[in-house]
Amino acid sequence: KVLIKPNVNIKYPWFLEIGSNTWIGEQVWIDNLGAVTIGSNVCISQGAMLMSGNHNYKKSSFDLIVEPIVIEDGAWVGGQSLVCPGVVMKVESILTAGSVAVGELNAQGIYKGNPAILVKTREVIQQ
């Protein structure tokens, strides 16, 4: 029960794990040079980018640095946002549209900006 919309780019499918009832929107780019784990009931909105690798600008050799990305159950990655290497989005966290996630996003936290900062706590209504 995973829905992957058209024009999604997944660099290395064997490094990707996706839980059930997850939706990946149009033109999402999962640049997974390393492990990317996406939980259940997650939404990755249109045009978002998950980038598990970067280069070490401090070295003249510009070495590649690869860190895993973990997006836990119920999280939402907003449209046109960027999830950087090493990010952990905890349960039901939200990264708003156009934002850049670095580090760890608290459970049920709503993050906004570049770099994304906590602006509010999400209240989830159980049905």
Side-chain angles (χ1 to χ4, degrees):
K1 295 185 178 180
V2 172
L3 179 59
I4 298 177
K5 299 295 277 183
N7 300 315
V8 170
N9 183 355
I10 300 169
K11 185 167 277 188
Y12 297 119
W14 49 91
F15 289 149
L16 179 62
E17 181 179 330
I18 303 174
S20 61
N21 299 313
T22 289
W23 187 89
I24 300 177
E26 291 89 347
Q27 299 180 342
V28 166
W29 184 6
I30 301 176
D31 193 19
N32 58 333
L33 298 171
V36 172
T37 304
I38 300 171
S40 296
N41 304 306
V42 170
C43 178
I44 312 289
S45 294
Q46 299 86 341
M49 182 176 192
L50 282 58
M51 183 174 62
S52 67
N54 204 349
H55 292 277
N56 188 345
Y57 65 88
K58 295 178 182 177
K59 292 187 175 184
S60 61
S61 56
F62 209 49
D63 296 342
L64 180 64
I65 301 168
V66 177
E67 296 182 53
I69 292 172
V70 177
I71 300 174
E72 294 182 357
D73 295 348
W76 178 13
V77 178
Q80 299 292 320
S81 59
L82 172 61
V83 178
C84 292
V87 164
V88 176
M89 289 184 67
K90 295 290 190 174
V91 172
E92 298 174 347
S93 60
I94 296 174
L95 179 64
T96 63
S99 295
V100 178
V102 294
E104 185 173 300
L105 280 60
N106 297 339
Q108 298 180 335
I110 300 173
Y111 289 79
K112 177 180 179 180
N114 179 9
I117 59 169
L118 179 66
V119 294
K120 187 174 181 177
T121 299
R122 180 179 182 184
E123 294 181 32
V124 179
I125 300 169
Q126 299 299 326
Q127 295 181 352

